[in-house]
Amino acid sequence: MLKSELPAHLIRHATLRQLQVFEAIVRLGSFTRAAEELHLTQPTVSIQIKKLTTALGLPLFEYVGRKAFPTEVGLLLYDTCREMLGALTNLEMKLAEMHGLKRGRLRLAVITTAQYFAPSILGQFARRYPDVELSLEVSNFDRVLERLANNDDDLYIIGHVPERLTDVEVHPFAPNPLVVMANRDHPLAGRRNIPLKELEGETFLMREPGSGIREATLRLFEEQGINPPVRMELGSNEAIKHAVIGGLGIAVLSLHTLSAEGAGGPVTLLDVEHFPIHRQWHIVYPKKKVLSVVAQTFLDFAIQDEARLRAQVEDMLAAFKAQAA
């Protein structure tokens, strides 16, 4: 088959549905998960891939045990599918916008700490654009960066932006203060202007190595020449909060992690010098990525929503100060 004949051949023998099924399998790493996402049966997915393989005349997957991995041809086709399906999705949303509508799908991936406020933004967005289908992926920092590198989602919300991320667009959009938390019965609770040096006598609960919160906290401690003992390392904010409530130590976490309990909950904030550590939330995406109409609309919406989020943070801090007083 001559190269010039290939596009016409694919147009005659391959369908957009087959390409959509193939893209979902590679992206999700599973025939079963692709079937669930596309609301198809697994036999239907297998038949579509068999037809697409016949159309190309080359194998798209190689099988190791029960897992399927894309071949070199499969990876080439996957890149093409992402470009083509992305362009078609963008076209569909632009046509919808011309009709005065915002339709389509928004895929958002956020780090675990952002789960405390991201649903609020999505809820506000959904009320304004009820026809947009929303998808929220909550993962740890490394997994979100992996998804960013694979371009698995439309937009990504992270706290700290590592220096190595030079090929991404970065949009700061909301405050993310880090605060010192303790059990309400802690001896330091209610004291004002606690010297940072006093924390050397306290036992700390920390996130795992690689956490942005941990790095920011240890950086401050190093700058101020203190080295408090770390009793436990835990992999989630909720685990740390429960350990604080249990009296196992104190911790530095994002204020957003207390959004559900508020100042009336079992955790209090310690008034320690150099705290809060003022950080920002960031929306990021690959520099070469052309945002869909829906993604661009959400980005603009989130940036405009910054005033509401800032007011919430200030109200929470004021409530904790009033409770301590």
Side-chain angles (χ1 to χ4, degrees), residues 1-14 55-56:
M1 182 187 302
L2 297 176
K3 287 185 178 180
S4 60
E5 296 175 347
L6 185 57
H9 176 80
L10 290 179
I11 289 172
R12 288 198 304 269
H13 298 282
L56 268 70

Coordinates of all heavy atoms in Angstrom, one line a residue, residues 1-14 55-56:
M1 N 0.8 -1.2 0.0 CA 0.0 0.0 0.0 C 0.9 1.2 0.0 O 1.8 1.4 0.8 CB -0.9 0.0 1.2 CG -1.8 1.2 1.3 SD -2.7 1.3 2.9 CE -3.5 -0.3 2.9
L2 N 0.7 2.1 -0.9 CA 1.4 3.4 -1.0 C 1.0 4.3 0.1 O -0.2 4.3 0.6 CB 1.2 4.1 -2.3 CG 1.7 3.3 -3.6 CD1 1.3 4.1 -4.8 CD2 3.2 3.1 -3.5
K3 N 1.9 5.1 0.6 CA 1.6 6.0 1.7 C 0.5 7.0 1.3 O -0.4 7.3 2.2 CB 2.8 6.9 2.1 CG 3.9 6.0 2.9 CD 5.0 6.9 3.3 CE 6.1 6.1 4.1 NZ 7.2 7.0 4.6
S4 N 0.4 7.4 0.1 CA -0.6 8.3 -0.3 C -2.0 7.7 -0.3 O -3.0 8.4 -0.3 CB -0.3 8.8 -1.8 OG -0.3 7.7 -2.7
E5 N -2.0 6.3 -0.3 CA -3.3 5.6 -0.2 C -3.8 5.4 1.2 O -5.0 5.1 1.4 CB -3.2 4.3 -0.9 CG -2.9 4.4 -2.4 CD -2.6 3.0 -3.0 OE1 -2.5 2.1 -2.2 OE2 -2.6 2.9 -4.3
L6 N -2.9 5.6 2.2 CA -3.2 5.2 3.6 C -4.4 6.0 4.1 O -5.3 5.5 4.7 CB -2.0 5.3 4.5 CG -2.2 4.8 5.9 CD1 -2.7 3.4 5.9 CD2 -0.9 5.0 6.7
P7 N -4.4 7.4 4.0 CA -5.5 8.1 4.6 C -6.8 7.7 4.0 O -7.8 7.5 4.8 CB -5.2 9.6 4.2 CG -3.7 9.6 4.1 CD -3.4 8.3 3.5
A8 N -6.9 7.5 2.7 CA -8.2 7.1 2.1 C -8.6 5.7 2.6 O -9.7 5.4 2.8 CB -8.1 7.1 0.6
H9 N -7.6 4.8 2.8 CA -7.8 3.5 3.3 C -8.4 3.5 4.7 O -9.4 2.9 5.0 CB -6.5 2.7 3.2 CG -6.7 1.3 3.8 ND1 -7.2 0.3 3.1 CD2 -6.4 0.8 5.1 CE1 -7.2 -0.8 3.9 NE2 -6.7 -0.5 5.1
L10 N -7.8 4.4 5.5 CA -8.3 4.5 6.9 C -9.7 5.1 7.0 O -10.6 4.7 7.8 CB -7.4 5.3 7.8 CG -6.0 4.6 8.1 CD1 -5.2 5.5 8.9 CD2 -6.2 3.3 8.8
I11 N -10.0 6.1 6.1 CA -11.3 6.7 6.1 C -12.4 5.7 5.7 O -13.5 5.7 6.2 CB -11.3 7.9 5.1 CG1 -10.5 9.0 5.7 CG2 -12.7 8.3 4.8 CD1 -10.3 10.2 4.8
R12 N -12.0 4.7 4.8 CA -13.0 3.7 4.3 C -13.1 2.6 5.4 O -14.2 2.1 5.5 CB -12.5 3.1 3.0 CG -12.7 4.1 1.8 CD -12.6 3.3 0.5 NE -11.4 2.5 0.4 CZ -10.3 2.9 -0.2 NH1 -10.2 4.1 -0.7 NH2 -9.2 2.1 -0.2
H13 N -12.1 2.3 6.1 CA -12.1 1.0 6.9 C -12.0 1.2 8.4 O -12.2 0.3 9.1 CB -11.0 0.1 6.4 CG -11.1 -0.3 5.0 ND1 -11.9 -1.3 4.6 CD2 -10.4 0.1 3.9 CE1 -11.8 -1.5 3.3 NE2 -10.9 -0.6 2.8
A14 N -11.7 2.5 8.8 CA -11.7 2.7 10.3 C -12.8 3.7 10.6 O -13.2 4.6 9.8 CB -10.3 3.2 10.7
A55 N -7.9 -3.0 9.9 CA -7.8 -1.8 9.0 C -6.4 -1.3 8.8 O -6.0 -0.9 7.7 CB -8.7 -0.7 9.5
L56 N -5.6 -1.4 9.9 CA -4.2 -0.9 9.8 C -3.3 -1.9 9.3 O -2.2 -1.6 8.8 CB -3.7 -0.4 11.2 CG -3.9 1.1 11.5 CD1 -5.4 1.4 11.7 CD2 -3.1 1.5 12.7

